[in-house]
Amino acid sequence: MPAPIRLRELIRTIRTARTQAEEREMIQKECAAIRSSFREEDNTYRCRNVAKLLYMHMLGYPAHFGQLECLKLIASQKFTDKRIGYLGAMLLLDERQDVHLLMTNCIKNDLNHSTQYVQGLALCTLGCMGSSEMCRDLAGEVEKLLKTSNSYLRKKAALCAVHVIRKVPELMEMFLPATKNLLNEKNHGVLHTSVVLLTEMCERSPDMLAHFRKVRQLSSSQLVPQLVRILKNLIMSGYSPEHDVSGISDPFLQVRILRLLRILGRNDDDSSEAMNDILAQVATNTETSKNVGNAILYETVLTIMDIKSESGLRVLAINILGRFLLNNDKNIRYVALTSLLKTVQTDHNAVQRHRSTIVDCLKDLDVSIKRRAMELSFALVNGNNVRGMMKELLYFLDSCEPEFKADCASGIFLAAEKYAPSKRWHIDTIMRVLTTAGSYVRDDAVPNLIQLITNSVEMHAYTVQRLYKAILGDYSQQPLVQVASWCIGEYGDLLVSGQCEEEEPIQVTEDEVLDILESILISNMSASVTRGYALTAIMKLSTRFTCTVNRIKKVVSIYGSSIDVELQQRAVEYNALFKKYDHMRPALLERMPVMEKVTTNGPAEIVQTNGETETAVLETKPPPSGLQPANQANDLLDLLGGSDITPVIPTAPTNKPAAAGGELLDLLGDLNLTGSPVPAPAPQIAQPPFLLDGLTTQPLFNDIAAGIPSITAYNKNGLKIDFTFERSNTNPSVTVITIQASNSTDLDMTDFVFQAAVPKTFQLQLLSPSSSVIPAFNSGTITQVIKVLNPQKQQLRMRIKLTYNHKGSAMQDLAEVNNFPPQSWQ
Amino acid sequence: IHFILLFSRQGKLRLQKWYTTLPDKEKKKIIREIVQIILSRNQRTSSFVDWKDLKLVYKRYASLYFCCAIEDQDNELLTLEVVHRYVELLDRYFGNVCELDIIFNFEKAYFILDEFIIGGEVQETSKKTAVKAIEDSDMLQETVEEYMNKPAF
């Protein structure tokens, strides 16, 4: 048989193929030749054939029949064979293959080979793709080579050890003795790989970390000073052509050392102190004209921000990031934004200084930069800059890619909620968002907005007018239409009476309003939920409008036979309201009361909540109890709540609004002169309520229905802690307590830690607090969530311990909380 | 580094080095996806792309794209330097390297990469040392005559 064609020849031939089919034909022909050659156990040309096979593999063709051949090549004595064999192994023989383990013996032998390049090949292969079993078998050999004086092998052994540790973390201990004098090397390759090895060990095991922080290295000082010294030499030493990159000496090693220092200094004061100087030196002396220098600065900044550095150093770091932001190079700006995002929580004021640059980045063309700039902008919004920032962010919302719009809209709502300078501005902003990005607004934003609007009592007329105008032209954006329908339903009377103070009142007749609501009902663009809103709104207008009640009756009865089950049910129930319970209609359809709401977070929380659903942040706390059963308006809420919890009519005392469904029944029972509870309405209540439907899915209203009063658990020395409660619907033994800590003194309280203990029959889970600083003058609060499991329904008691720093001294206090309301644990 | 890919402007793969284990089909899918992402980015964007839980760092040299996938805590700017260093090594070895060199001598491109990076980490920071190691290894490769006469096993 003629000699198989040479590799380069094959490559050339394949490249002349003009179509995919032609290429495939050539490849198949060659594969067949290679296969028969393999079958003949041809030693001479095996290497060439495998090389060709690897080329074809790269083009995407199957090459598994070459696996065993690679093994044979590795076992060969010829260096050329071994080289190709190991390459083939790395490409074809990963640990998922059955024959992977057969390599172990060959590698073991080659690790002890007389030629260092063969040893190198073996180490490289093991270090790139060795399986856990292989690593276990060969760890000993690697460890031996780690101690050799041959730097070529030592550096490879170090990285091989890294791979072994990644695959089999238990073997880490084994390499510990060998690390003792790794850093005494002069060879940069060994130094670099040793630092990588040490980093890997410290990252994986806190014990190792503690060990390396303390222990003295053999014949040299501790690790941190040693690293500092090496780094210093690198910076101060003169030009070294071998390791120089654009005037900087061995940047790879510098960055790795900085990274290891970061891990060593994290949460450790002593280590951090030892490295303050060198970090300052690197930060100020590194050349920033080329990417290399910036890479080092970037790593330095990350390290400074992560360890316990002094504040001057931190300011220096943020300023470097600020300079990065002004750099023309996009990569640098990207990196700066990413780092600022990480630091904005802790060094808020410093980052604020760069706000305008960050806002400019919103206009960048690069998607990743825009995203980061957006997240950072939300983190920086505060009471002072909210107007300006909102303008920019709204503009951004207008022009950004669709994938951003939902997050941006949510972020704007959050920020507006917290920092709105006036109600009107707030409403205007919401309107703007709804009209620009209406279809991207998250579903849960709708109930939140509705609640917001309800609470801005003086703005009702203005709001409904603006919303009406907005949907007049275009009612395709569902969230906008939903909010608008609801508002029109509630405040339609204000709309037609032309009472608006804030702007020119428009002249709208009742019929025009009904026109629009009807067209929403009919339109194909309206979602089922939206139609529900519209129908309910029309119904509510029956008590607010005077001339068009008949029209409303007609509309409602038409939908009594709608195909949409939800609409049908509503229509039927509304019809019933017209026919049989007309005397109750005004009461039931009365205006919604103002809902009490307590904000849960301080100013710096937006980043964390970005992307989260708004309900998580805007949790409604239950209003203090005092709802009188005679207050019919509240029955609306109860109706809502009742259907949320269970349809069962509870037998709780009548002054507790928790028995929501029962309340209505009582109401109906009272008014119904027969005196016996009317069965017909009861199942209706059990269904999702026909009023305020879109809001039922929100946990907001669960709270209201539950109506557990909140308590002040602690109030001393200006520190006040309030507890507010929620009961879980799914698990009645769980009580969720949200604590709010506020500070009425004139100085902030820092490092605030809240701890709680409960009697043995309870279980406690403490979630992480919103922050550890309580600002002075009650300007902000810390919130923290506690979950208490109380399976035996015993009376809730709690002992709390508070520690914080105030006016320069550490304060600590213990207290017992006994005034838990019965509804929180019964 | 999780993996390194080299591909042409038409999307043809020239080199693939994986430092994590994945099934073949998965690798092909990833390559297709990443090639598409990177080829669709225009000149004025940054060299970094967020992809799944990794960061892609890429740079174009003439007609070849060099792409590395790094972890969240790795330094992106330094990875650009790593890519650049690899190109310099290739250049030093081949002398004014071009894409054709890498196509026809792909196994050498792998050897050079293996002298520079093991297990996803840089092993040698000196250009001179790395290239010397390759050249010495090349010397070890037998001449045709030696090869024929040497016993196999």
Side-chain angles (χ1 to χ4, degrees):
Chain A
M1 205 182 108
I5 68 171
R6 309 173 74 92
L7 173 64
R8 323 277 174 227
E9 200 55 55
L10 177 68
I11 297 180
R12 200 167 299 132
T13 318
I14 292 181
R15 281 171 65 79
T16 61
R18 266 166 296 169
T19 65
Q20 186 77 355
E22 219 180 305
E23 182 185 281
R24 213 172 321 148
E25 214 183 291
M26 292 181 191
I27 301 248
Q28 270 170 354
K29 210 170 90 181
E30 186 57 39
C31 270
I34 292 178
R35 254 191 263 242
S36 39
S37 179
F38 283 163
R39 246 173 308 181
E40 287 168 22
E41 297 282 337
D42 183 342
N43 288 332
T44 328
Y45 295 111
R46 183 177 288 123
C47 176
R48 185 186 289 182
N49 285 328
V50 169
K52 287 187 287 188
L53 197 57
L54 292 178
Y55 178 71
M56 296 190 285
H57 172 75
M58 183 149 66
L59 291 178
Y61 297 93
H64 43 269
F65 55 90
Q67 286 174 2
L68 277 175
E69 303 302 313
C70 290
L71 283 174
K72 293 184 196 159
L73 283 175
I74 293 174
S76 158
Q77 288 191 18
K78 305 179 200 172
F79 184 71
T80 318
D81 281 355
K82 279 189 192 290
R83 238 182 165 187
I84 297 286
Y86 276 118
L87 178 61
M90 283 195 271
L91 289 174
L92 301 176
L93 278 176
D94 63 34
E95 60 189 358
R96 301 166 138 264
Q97 311 301 329
D98 305 324
V99 292
H100 175 85
L101 272 179
L102 294 177
M103 277 198 289
T104 316
N105 214 27
C106 283
I107 295 187
K108 187 169 192 171
N109 292 335
D110 283 340
L111 284 175
N112 293 314
H113 203 275
S114 48
T115 316
Q116 71 172 17
Y117 294 109
V118 174
Q119 288 174 293
L121 283 176
L123 280 169
C124 179
T125 308
L126 181 59
C128 282
M129 41 81 79
S131 64
S132 333
E133 291 84 23
M134 205 185 280
C135 287
R136 254 184 251 269
D137 286 337
L138 300 173
E141 304 293 325
V142 174
E143 199 256 343
K144 226 169 37 187
L145 286 171
L146 196 49
K147 299 197 270 220
T148 175
S149 52
N150 180 336
S151 46
Y152 178 77
L153 292 177
R154 212 169 179 200
K155 72 185 184 201
K156 290 186 194 270
L159 289 184
C160 205
V162 171
H163 179 84
V164 169
I165 292 176
R166 283 179 182 160
K167 282 283 185 196
V168 192
E170 302 88 62
L171 291 175
M172 206 188 319
E173 295 278 326
M174 184 181 198
F175 295 108
L176 189 53
T179 63
K180 277 212 171 3
N181 44 6
L182 271 180
L183 291 183
N184 293 337
E185 272 275 352
K186 287 250 173 356
N187 179 302
H188 281 224
V190 179
L191 272 177
H192 187 276
T193 56
S194 309
V195 172
V196 173
L197 178 57
L198 290 169
T199 310
E200 188 70 29
M201 291 170 114
C202 289
E203 272 179 340
R204 278 191 183 260
S205 155
D207 293 330
M208 283 288 177
L209 182 56
H211 170 90
F212 280 119
R213 275 183 181 143
K214 308 243 167 20
V215 87
R216 290 191 162 278
Q217 300 270 292
L218 184 66
S219 75
S220 66
S221 56
Q222 288 179 320
L223 184 56
V224 172
Q226 204 176 15
L227 289 171
V228 168
R229 229 194 350 258
I230 299 176
L231 194 49
K232 205 166 196 163
N233 283 338
L234 282 175
I235 307 175
M236 311 291 260
S237 69
Y239 177 70
S240 147
E242 218 180 303
H243 301 112
D244 180 271
V245 180
S246 305
I248 297 187
S249 194
D250 207 340
F252 304 104
L253 184 55
Q254 286 195 38
V255 167
R256 282 323 297 230
I257 292 182
L258 286 165
R259 188 160 152 185
L260 182 53
L261 284 175
R262 177 155 85 239
I263 297 172
L264 290 169
R266 199 179 277 158
N267 290 330
D268 188 271
D269 291 319
D270 294 328
S271 308
S272 301
E273 212 184 297
M275 50 180 96
N276 266 324
D277 286 339
I278 191 71
L279 288 174
Q281 208 177 356
V282 175
T284 41
N285 289 345
T286 311
E287 264 285 329
T288 59
S289 53
K290 290 271 175 77
N291 185 54
V292 210
N294 290 323
I296 296 180
L297 279 177
Y298 176 40
E299 196 73 32
T300 314
V301 165
L302 288 178
T303 303
I304 292 175
M305 301 315 289
D306 220 9
I307 65 173
K308 296 202 168 243
S309 47
E310 46 188 37
S311 57
L313 206 49
R314 294 181 89 88
V315 171
L316 180 59
I318 303 240
N319 287 344
I320 293 179
L321 289 179
R323 252 183 296 139
F324 274 6
L325 274 181
L326 297 167
N327 196 310
N328 282 328
D329 188 339
K330 283 191 194 296
N331 296 336
I332 310 236
R333 279 217 292 274
Y334 174 97
V335 147
L337 286 171
T338 313
S339 321
L340 283 171
L341 204 50
K342 288 189 213 159
T343 63
V344 73
Q345 300 286 16
T346 41
D347 296 84
H348 192 87
N349 293 329
V351 181
Q352 277 283 1
R353 255 178 257 137
H354 302 284
R355 196 182 68 240
S356 48
T357 334
I358 293 172
V359 169
D360 280 336
C361 288
L362 282 173
K363 308 195 183 94
D364 201 295
L365 292 168
D366 182 317
V367 168
S368 325
I369 290 186
K370 272 203 270 211
R371 172 167 285 281
R372 279 164 174 72
M374 178 180 86
E375 288 174 10
L376 208 45
S377 304
F378 282 126
L380 291 176
V381 175
N382 64 27
N384 296 328
N385 57 34
V386 66
R387 281 190 197 262
M389 289 293 274
M390 273 309 162
K391 219 162 59 167
E392 296 286 341
L393 285 166
L394 284 168
Y395 181 71
F396 175 68
L397 183 64
D398 245 334
S399 52
C400 71
E401 284 85 353
E403 61 232 33
F404 288 139
K405 292 211 194 222
D407 285 331
C408 191
S410 303
I412 291 181
F413 285 143
L414 241 86
E417 162 102 21
K418 282 196 201 156
Y419 303 112
S422 74
K423 289 245 161 108
R424 169 158 178 183
W425 180 91
H426 196 171
I427 305 250
D428 281 342
T429 310
I430 293 178
M431 290 287 312
R432 178 90 186 268
V433 174
L434 283 177
T435 43
T436 21
S439 27
Y440 296 101
V441 167
R442 291 210 168 85
D443 292 334
D444 49 4
V446 172
N448 293 333
L449 292 177
I450 288 178
Q451 180 184 50
L452 200 62
I453 293 172
T454 317
N455 289 349
S456 346
V457 176
E458 63 277 13
M459 303 294 300
H460 285 167
Y462 172 69
T463 313
V464 70
Q465 187 164 297
R466 286 210 58 187
L467 282 169
Y468 176 76
K469 283 198 275 195
I471 62 170
L472 254 189
D474 161 33
Y475 42 84
S476 62
Q477 304 194 82
Q478 300 304 295
L480 173 62
V481 175
Q482 288 169 10
V483 177
S485 318
W486 190 92
C487 282
I488 293 177
E490 277 292 311
Y491 311 121
D493 48 333
L494 295 176
L495 184 59
V496 296
S497 66
Q499 275 179 20
C500 184
E501 285 167 1
E502 302 278 343
E503 66 174 21
E504 240 348 273
I506 57 176
Q507 306 299 339
V508 185
T509 66
E510 296 183 0
D511 277 305
E512 284 171 342
V513 174
L514 287 174
D515 282 339
I516 238 277
L517 284 174
E518 278 192 59
S519 27
I520 293 174
L521 266 177
I522 300 172
S523 160
N524 285 331
M525 293 187 281
S526 302
S528 178
V529 176
T530 314
R531 280 188 240 244
Y533 271 97
L535 189 58
T536 307
I538 292 180
M539 186 60 193
K540 285 196 233 172
L541 288 174
S542 71
T543 48
R544 291 156 176 69
F545 281 179
T546 45
C547 344
T548 43
V549 183
N550 284 327
R551 179 174 174 185
I552 292 176
K553 269 198 206 163
K554 239 189 344 197
V555 173
V556 167
S557 56
I558 292 176
Y559 280 90
S561 42
S562 156
I563 298 179
D564 184 332
V565 178
E566 176 64 32
L567 278 184
Q568 189 189 96
Q569 181 187 340
R570 290 187 190 211
V572 166
E573 287 169 354
Y574 293 156
N575 251 335
L577 210 51
F578 271 124
K579 298 210 169 69
K580 291 209 299 196
Y581 302 101
D582 205 39
H583 48 282
M584 279 174 48
R585 197 160 44 85
L588 278 172
L589 300 177
E590 224 185 59
R591 189 87 95 216
M592 279 289 286
V594 173
M595 294 166 228
E596 247 190 54
K597 196 168 70 71
V598 176
T599 53
T600 54
N601 290 335
E605 297 310 301
I606 302 182
V607 172
Q608 290 172 349
T609 58
N610 212 357
E612 278 174 37
T613 60
E614 300 214 312
T615 44
V617 175
L618 304 174
E619 262 181 63
T620 305
K621 296 296 163 279
S625 63
L627 294 171
Q628 300 110 20
N631 187 341
Q632 293 167 342
N634 282 320
D635 293 343
L636 291 174
L637 296 169
D638 299 342
L639 244 183
L640 206 57
S643 56
D644 269 334
I645 302 182
T646 56
V648 171
I649 315 300
T651 53
T654 46
N655 61 356
K656 213 162 76 156
E663 286 275 314
L664 186 59
L665 250 198
D666 291 346
L667 185 65
L668 288 175
D670 287 343
L671 295 175
N672 189 325
L673 297 173
T674 62
S676 55
V678 182
Q684 287 176 359
I685 296 158
Q687 313 302 325
F690 41 91
L691 295 172
L692 309 168
D693 206 21
L695 306 170
T696 53
T697 51
Q698 303 316 311
L700 293 173
F701 292 93
N702 292 343
D703 309 341
I704 296 179
I708 307 175
S710 53
I711 61 169
T712 300
Y714 177 92
N715 194 348
K716 221 160 98 174
N717 296 328
L719 174 63
K720 180 150 140 330
I721 300 188
D722 293 319
F723 282 14
T724 43
F725 305 94
E726 278 160 62
R727 299 295 293 272
S728 161
N729 285 339
T730 46
N731 184 352
S733 332
V734 172
T735 308
V736 179
I737 306 177
T738 306
I739 71 154
Q740 276 200 285
S742 56
N743 170 7
S744 61
T745 67
D746 54 348
L747 271 185
D748 292 354
M749 294 174 179
T750 57
D751 297 320
F752 180 78
V753 176
F754 174 92
Q755 291 167 299
V758 286
K760 282 212 193 79
T761 51
F762 298 84
Q763 270 180 43
L764 192 68
Q765 185 191 6
L766 209 54
L767 304 182
S768 24
S770 59
S771 86
S772 64
V773 175
I774 320 180
F777 301 114
N778 287 327
S779 54
T781 58
I782 290 180
T783 39
Q784 193 167 4
V785 174
I786 309 173
K787 287 191 184 158
V788 180
L789 181 64
N790 181 7
Q792 298 180 19
K793 298 234 188 259
Q794 296 198 345
Q795 169 153 27
L796 193 51
R797 276 164 38 223
M798 193 185 280
R799 205 171 267 158
I800 60 176
K801 179 172 170 189
L802 311 158
T803 48
Y804 55 95
N805 288 334
H806 189 227
K807 297 187 177 161
S809 49
M811 311 275 289
Q812 192 182 303
D813 202 1
L814 284 168
E816 195 159 327
V817 185
N818 280 323
N819 51 337
F820 286 99
Q823 301 97 313
S824 63
W825 49 267
Q826 264 172 355
Chain B
I1 299 180
H2 278 226
F3 55 82
I4 300 180
L5 300 174
L6 263 71
F7 51 91
S8 72
R9 297 199 23 206
Q10 287 78 39
K12 296 203 85 153
L13 194 66
R14 298 296 176 209
L15 188 146
Q16 53 171 327
K17 186 79 187 180
W18 299 81
Y19 296 107
T20 56
T21 317
L22 290 164
D24 243 354
K25 257 172 74 172
E26 187 74 35
K27 286 186 194 170
K28 288 205 178 141
K29 197 165 127 217
I30 291 178
I31 294 175
R32 259 201 313 268
E33 207 182 304
I34 290 183
V35 167
Q36 205 205 6
I37 292 176
I38 293 186
L39 287 180
S40 64
R41 282 172 69 90
N42 66 46
Q43 295 280 44
R44 319 236 314 145
T45 57
S46 64
S47 297
F48 311 126
V49 182
D50 293 318
W51 180 78
K52 298 202 181 158
D53 59 336
L54 299 171
K55 300 189 273 202
L56 298 176
V57 179
Y58 71 93
K59 195 149 182 219
R60 185 169 81 85
Y61 289 85
S63 54
L64 264 185
Y65 281 91
F66 287 70
C67 173
C68 291
I70 56 175
E71 288 177 345
D72 206 33
Q73 65 255 41
D74 290 331
N75 184 328
E76 296 96 320
L77 297 178
L78 192 72
T79 311
L80 280 175
E81 290 301 317
V82 168
V83 169
H84 190 71
R85 172 55 66 89
Y86 179 49
V87 175
E88 284 180 329
L89 288 175
L90 289 171
D91 195 57
R92 205 163 182 178
Y93 179 81
F94 286 109
N96 279 332
V97 68
C98 64
E99 191 182 345
L100 279 179
D101 289 321
I102 300 184
I103 295 173
F104 279 94
N105 301 289
F106 71 94
E107 83 275 13
K108 300 231 170 64
Y110 275 105
F111 295 150
I112 295 174
L113 185 59
D114 287 336
E115 276 301 321
F116 179 41
I117 296 180
I118 287 185
E121 306 283 353
V122 169
Q123 65 177 285
E124 182 53 66
T125 56
S126 154
K127 266 185 287 199
K128 199 172 82 175
T129 316
V131 177
K132 182 161 184 308
I134 307 278
E135 287 170 350
D136 285 352
S137 301
D138 284 347
M139 290 306 218
L140 269 194
Q141 289 203 199
E142 298 86 353
T143 65
V144 178
E145 213 179 57
E146 281 175 343
Y147 187 84
M148 296 300 188
N149 293 331
K150 217 170 178 183
F153 301 108

